[in-house]
Amino acid sequence: NAGVTQTPKFQVLKTGQSMTLQCAQDMNHEYMSWYRQDPGMGLRLIHYSVGAGITDQGEVPNGYNVSRSTTEDFPLRLLSAAPSQTSVYFCASSQQASPLHFGNGTRLTVT
Amino acid sequence: KNEVEQSPQNLTAQEGEFITINCSYSVGISALHWLQQHPGGGIVSLFMLSSGKKKHGRLIATINIQEKHSSLHITASHPRDSAVYICAVPSNFGNEKLTFGTGTRLTIIP
């Protein structure tokens, strides 16, 4: 039981490049979400899913896309990377009204 | 949208001291989360509580729904408790989207 697996751990992009951050969970959780963590700020919700085929925007969705084709996977796509997207990204999963399980994070730098 | 405030922002204490970290929020909630993040590390869920008190080892979490306030206590603190402690609440009542506090950085000196 691996829990929540995020890849890659580190990534450097040039402005304008695109990439996908991967998130997979093996706990059959309904809820999955992506957050970004910036210095001096709390974790902020980017996108959210309550089940396969259902996604919703969070607090800071601009510049990011998600899809949820299976229960297990919830990839986050950066369409055209910008320096403002330099951050640490966390994926999390849970059942309804249950504790969160986080991935180990992806440290992204956009130059 | 729920507003979350944590205090203190930073806390340094001697090993063995009793630690209290506070979290206040503005909108009624169904449950509150306490999380722990070690330096350079991932985030671990410590507690999820909707009323009263929960205890796990040396950690105790309490919540007062009427006053919209929760506390996290650590008894007999140890250097390995050094971490950032984060509280999180639903953005709106009954909503699974969470709003996070900015965290309390705790340092325990041996």
Side-chain angles (χ1 to χ4, degrees):
Chain A
N1 194 339
V4 179
T5 303
Q6 262 187 259
T7 56
K9 288 194 73 170
F10 301 94
Q11 183 71 51
V12 179
L13 291 177
K14 293 189 188 307
T15 297
Q17 287 185 317
S18 63
M19 79 158 295
T20 299
L21 279 63
Q22 301 291 345
C23 177
Q25 53 93 6
D26 61 0
M27 297 170 284
N28 203 33
H29 285 169
E30 300 169 304
Y31 295 90
M32 296 187 76
S33 47
W34 277 102
Y35 301 92
R36 59 179 289 172
Q37 186 176 40
D38 300 296
M41 305 185 75
L43 287 153
R44 291 182 293 167
L45 180 66
I46 305 171
H47 282 288
Y48 177 77
S49 171
V50 299
I54 306 169
T55 62
D56 194 7
Q57 292 184 351
E59 187 183 348
V60 287
N62 292 340
Y64 308 95
N65 267 1
V66 292
S67 60
R68 183 102 180 264
S69 56
T70 67
T71 300
E72 294 77 21
D73 299 299
F74 191 44
L76 178 73
R77 297 182 190 84
L78 279 69
L79 308 172
S80 177
S84 60
Q85 293 179 305
T86 293
S87 187
V88 181
Y89 292 84
F90 287 96
C91 176
S93 74
S94 70
Q95 292 285 45
Q96 186 176 17
S98 295
L100 293 163
H101 295 255
F102 284 86
N104 288 330
T106 296
R107 187 173 295 274
L108 174 68
T109 303
V110 182
T111 61
Chain B
K1 179 179 180 265
N2 227 330
E3 302 292 333
V4 181
E5 283 198 18
Q6 281 187 242
S7 63
Q9 283 191 314
N10 295 284
L11 178 57
T12 300
Q14 293 290 131
E15 182 174 356
E17 286 190 38
F18 182 81
I19 303 298
T20 296
I21 298 169
N22 298 298
C23 176
S24 297
Y25 51 92
S26 58
V27 176
I29 60 170
S30 51
L32 178 144
H33 300 257
W34 280 105
L35 310 168
Q36 179 192 57
Q37 184 174 28
H38 278 105
I43 302 170
V44 175
S45 177
L46 296 176
F47 295 102
M48 179 180 168
L49 69 166
S50 55
S51 65
K53 180 165 86 172
K54 284 191 175 181
K55 185 174 189 287
H56 182 67
R58 294 180 294 104
L59 272 60
I60 303 166
T62 64
I63 189 167
N64 184 318
I65 295 293
Q66 286 72 32
E67 295 192 1
K68 299 184 179 65
H69 181 269
S70 176
S71 293
L72 177 68
H73 306 284
I74 305 174
T75 61
S77 59
H78 189 276
R80 65 174 173 266
D81 298 325
S82 297
V84 176
Y85 293 84
I86 302 166
C87 73
V89 299
S91 299
N92 292 291
F93 188 88
N95 196 323
E96 290 286 334
K97 296 182 184 180
L98 296 177
T99 298
F100 294 77
T102 53
T104 294
R105 184 174 300 276
L106 174 66
T107 304
I108 304 296
I109 300 170

